[in-house]
Amino acid sequence: MNTLDPVTRHHIDQAAERLGEEFAGVFSKETIARYMQESEELLGEGRLTVFVPVLVHRFARERLKALAQAEGRLTKEQPEILFVCVQNAGRSQMAAGLVKLRSAGKVHVRSAGSTPASEVNPAVIEAMTEIGVDMSEEFPKPLTDEVVRAADVVIAMGCGDACPIYPGKRYEDWELEDPDGKELETIRRIRDEIDERVQRLVSELIDT
């Protein structure tokens, strides 16, 4: 983006170089540069902070990894779940954090939003911290095609028809109350309901 200062731009260029080293032999430098630029644009000018190089790097890296998995360039060693809601600031973030907790690293998870918010709901972060899930470094991410293609299971949480449909994937629609604007007690109840569903899903995926 033209609004970035030279120092921030330099850090983003360095991040692109690190991705080039990581994905050497998988993607060309041109593809990596395009994904960095797209990821920067998708995160949006309103989301720009001093941490923008870190966020762009993390977002682009996840997208490139998903693309490599979807195209068979990288072997997928674990089942993959994608949670999608509107803002990627509450339900889908809680679900992703709970999968990490309950699967003990045996299931890989991503989350995204059809219209992502600027930050994760602070009350959601608090409710998750209570059960030992640190979400302080999480941030809302836009829904992109390659993360859907890489997923084995796609869980929609009130995002309507925003999620593209690909054959051979398991799709579910979890009807859950939106924690946005709710008190902590309500968010805890939503968290626990998500936790019950996550534990069943993780058990199914690990046992198959």
Side-chain angles (χ1 to χ4, degrees), residues 94-105:
M94 283 195 285
L98 286 162
V99 166
K100 293 174 184 177
L101 177 68
R102 301 306 182 192
S103 72

Side-chain angles (χ1 to χ4, degrees), residues 187-203:
I187 293 174
R188 289 184 181 121
R189 176 174 53 76
I190 298 170
R191 175 201 66 197
D192 293 344
E193 183 179 348
I194 293 173
D195 195 14
E196 291 179 7
R197 298 186 184 214
V198 161
Q199 290 190 53
R200 287 196 297 268
L201 178 59
V202 166
S203 179

Side-chain angles (χ1 to χ4, degrees), residues 72-131:
R73 297 170 184 250
L74 288 179
T75 302
K76 192 186 324 184
E77 298 178 348
Q78 302 165 315
E80 176 87 39
I81 304 174
L82 172 66
F83 291 102
V84 185
C85 67
V86 177
Q87 295 187 320
N88 192 216
R91 290 165 291 185
S92 57
Q93 290 279 2
M94 283 195 285
L98 286 162
V99 166
K100 293 174 184 177
L101 177 68
R102 301 306 182 192
S103 72
K106 295 180 181 178
V107 177
H108 189 263
V109 62
R110 295 183 174 100
S111 68
S114 54
T115 309
S118 60
E119 63 179 3
V120 177
N121 185 333
V124 165
I125 294 176
E126 183 178 351
M128 295 297 288
T129 301
E130 291 176 350
I131 60 170

Side-chain angles (χ1 to χ4, degrees), residues 109-172:
V109 62
R110 295 183 174 100
S111 68
S114 54
T115 309
S118 60
E119 63 179 3
V120 177
N121 185 333
V124 165
I125 294 176
E126 183 178 351
M128 295 297 288
T129 301
E130 291 176 350
I131 60 170
V133 178
D134 181 8
M135 293 179 53
S136 59
E137 294 188 0
E138 298 298 333
F139 62 100
K141 297 168 288 296
L143 178 64
T144 55
D145 184 73
E146 65 280 336
V147 297
V148 182
R149 291 172 57 198
D152 300 302
V153 182
V154 180
I155 308 292
M157 300 168 141
C159 60
D161 298 326
C163 195
I165 304 297
Y166 287 99
K169 299 189 184 301
R170 173 179 170 182
Y171 289 87
E172 292 185 14

Side-chain angles (χ1 to χ4, degrees), residues 39-93:
S39 297
E40 183 183 330
E41 293 169 355
L42 283 167
L43 288 178
E45 185 173 352
R47 317 258 308 277
L48 297 184
T49 68
V50 292
F51 301 110
V52 66
V54 176
L55 299 186
V56 170
H57 175 265
R58 286 173 57 191
F59 185 41
R61 183 178 184 272
E62 273 300 306
R63 294 182 63 208
L64 287 164
K65 184 177 179 181
L67 180 63
Q69 290 174 333
E71 295 184 347
R73 297 170 184 250
L74 288 179
T75 302
K76 192 186 324 184
E77 298 178 348
Q78 302 165 315
E80 176 87 39
I81 304 174
L82 172 66
F83 291 102
V84 185
C85 67
V86 177
Q87 295 187 320
N88 192 216
R91 290 165 291 185
S92 57
Q93 290 279 2

